[in-house]
Amino acid sequence: EQQSEVDAWLRTNAMELSTVQPGSPRDDLRRLERLFGDASVVALGEASHVNRTFSQAKHRIIEYLVTERGFTVFAIEATFAGALELNDYLLTGDGEPSRAHAALVYRAWDTESILEMIVRMREYNATHERKLKVYGFDNKPATGSARAVRGYLQTIDATEDYDGVLSVLMDPWSVVQLLKGPKEEIHRAAERVASLVTELEKPPPPTTGTTEPRRQWSLALQHARVLLQNLEFYGAESRSEATDLRDKAMAQNVRWIVEHENQAKTILWAANAHIWAEPGCGSMGGYLRETYGEKFLAVALLANRMPEEGGERALT
């Protein structure tokens, strides 16, 4: 009886798509209009990473949201600093797509379909005045954020107080030793970074003639916050506490991205577990629903079986 109810619901509500192939005509995607409604933050989930069918379907939806719904920001479950490197490539075209792709770091995104999406995003930006920007909203790894913070402090001649901790956190080998060591060491490093965040949160530089100093300050502050989130994650006393801290941090980072981009319409890409939007559930999606209400939409991709071509081949 329960199965028959599910079948009946699917027959009534299902909206069949013609294909998952990116670049295909998007007439079938217009059937999703009533799903997207007035949402300004749309999270696209997936039941499993490294799945070509999921990636292609999400890529198609992104193309639709960007070209026909005015979305201009794409944020992915990846390192904040690395995604900024990718963003530079998408905006300027300088460098190689494979190198920009590698900046995302995560093995889950080291696939042909993600590289294909990056190539198409660059092609879009090269031919459109309204550009698509890319961010990462995760808090690990954070060595790139440590380098960015130190670089900013050098420009304002303020590295002396924090050079020690940042030198450890920006070096891949030394930071691994720190994170594998006693929790007390992680907590001490977190205290130093928390002090740095407090210093950077003081009134920003005035905007005299150009907004660039304020933009650099804003990015440096966010890098420092991500660095602190990273240390708090690894300093957690249990796996469940670490999971909770990570999702809360990702929600904070998404809110910063939306605000930094002047409330631009934003697409999120993450695992289904992170976009779950029940208020109070402790997931990123739950926190974002509390912030944005019905303006936040979570779209989870599921499958009871995958086509033979559903597998994904990693690039490395």
Side-chain angles (χ1 to χ4, degrees):
E1 182 181 347
Q2 185 176 14
Q3 184 61 48
S4 63
E5 291 178 1
V6 171
D7 291 343
W9 186 92
L10 287 172
R11 281 193 295 271
T12 302
N13 294 279
M15 292 177 282
E16 184 177 357
L17 300 182
S18 302
T19 179
V20 296
Q21 185 63 42
S24 302
R26 292 185 284 271
D27 292 345
D28 57 332
L29 289 175
R30 293 190 179 93
R31 303 169 191 167
L32 302 178
E33 279 291 318
R34 60 189 174 98
L35 172 65
F36 294 120
D38 295 325
S40 58
V41 179
V42 174
L44 303 177
E46 56 197 20
S48 62
H49 294 322
V50 196
N51 185 294
R52 187 169 182 82
T53 300
F54 285 160
S55 294
Q56 288 183 316
K58 291 165 73 171
H59 184 175
R60 274 200 83 209
I61 294 172
I62 290 167
E63 288 180 333
Y64 170 75
L65 291 173
V66 170
T67 59
E68 303 196 26
R69 302 279 299 189
F71 282 71
T72 56
V73 174
F74 169 69
I76 188 169
E77 180 191 339
T79 171
F80 180 72
L84 288 176
E85 291 185 41
L86 172 57
N87 186 59
D88 287 342
Y89 167 75
L90 293 178
L91 293 179
T92 66
D94 294 338
E96 296 295 325
S98 57
R99 184 175 179 85
H101 176 210
L104 292 179
V105 179
Y106 285 11
R107 291 190 66 91
W109 314 136
D110 184 27
T111 63
E112 289 179 327
S113 58
I114 299 296
L115 178 56
E116 290 164 3
M117 181 174 69
I118 288 170
V119 169
R120 291 185 64 84
M121 284 178 170
R122 174 55 201 158
E123 291 172 352
Y124 173 86
N125 277 353
T127 56
H128 290 78
E129 183 175 349
R130 185 177 64 188
K131 310 301 183 185
L132 177 66
K133 296 181 180 180
V134 173
Y135 287 91
F137 54 78
D138 208 348
N139 62 359
K140 59 187 183 73
T143 51
S145 284
R147 287 192 293 270
V149 172
R150 189 171 185 270
Y152 175 76
L153 293 179
Q154 287 177 324
T155 66
I156 61 173
D157 195 25
T159 59
E160 184 176 348
D161 291 341
Y162 302 101
D163 197 57
V165 67
L166 291 174
S167 294
V168 171
L169 297 176
M170 64 190 281
D171 180 80
W173 185 87
S174 62
V175 77
V176 166
Q177 304 313 305
L178 171 68
L179 299 180
K180 286 166 56 178
K183 296 288 187 184
E184 291 77 10
E185 294 292 331
I186 301 176
H187 296 162
R188 276 195 285 271
E191 289 174 1
R192 295 297 299 138
V193 175
S195 172
L196 172 58
V197 170
T198 299
E199 285 297 314
L200 287 173
E201 285 178 335
K202 291 178 179 179
T207 55
T208 54
T210 173
T211 60
E212 184 60 18
R214 189 180 182 95
R215 189 185 77 86
Q216 292 297 329
W217 162 80
S218 179
L219 282 172
L221 175 56
Q222 179 60 13
H223 276 297
R225 287 170 175 162
V226 169
L227 196 55
L228 179 57
Q229 293 167 358
N230 178 265
L231 290 169
E232 290 175 339
F233 172 83
Y234 284 104
E237 298 300 329
S238 67
R239 188 179 184 87
S240 61
E241 180 188 0
T243 299
D244 291 343
L245 285 170
R246 184 184 176 206
D247 270 85
K248 186 174 184 178
M250 289 196 292
Q252 291 170 344
N253 296 338
V254 168
R255 287 193 289 262
W256 180 88
I257 291 166
V258 173
E259 182 177 350
H260 185 71
E261 290 295 334
N262 298 313
Q263 309 304 314
K265 289 185 175 182
T266 301
I267 305 163
L268 309 180
W269 180 307
N272 284 346
H274 294 308
I275 70 166
W276 185 25
E278 187 70 23
C281 67
S283 71
M284 176 186 73
Y287 289 117
L288 295 178
R289 174 56 55 81
E290 292 174 1
T291 300
Y292 299 111
E294 295 305 312
K295 294 289 186 180
F296 175 75
L297 174 67
V299 181
L301 268 66
L302 303 166
N304 70 336
R305 66 180 183 275
M306 298 303 300
E308 292 182 1
E309 66 273 19
E312 178 73 286
R313 187 167 69 86
L315 293 176
T316 59

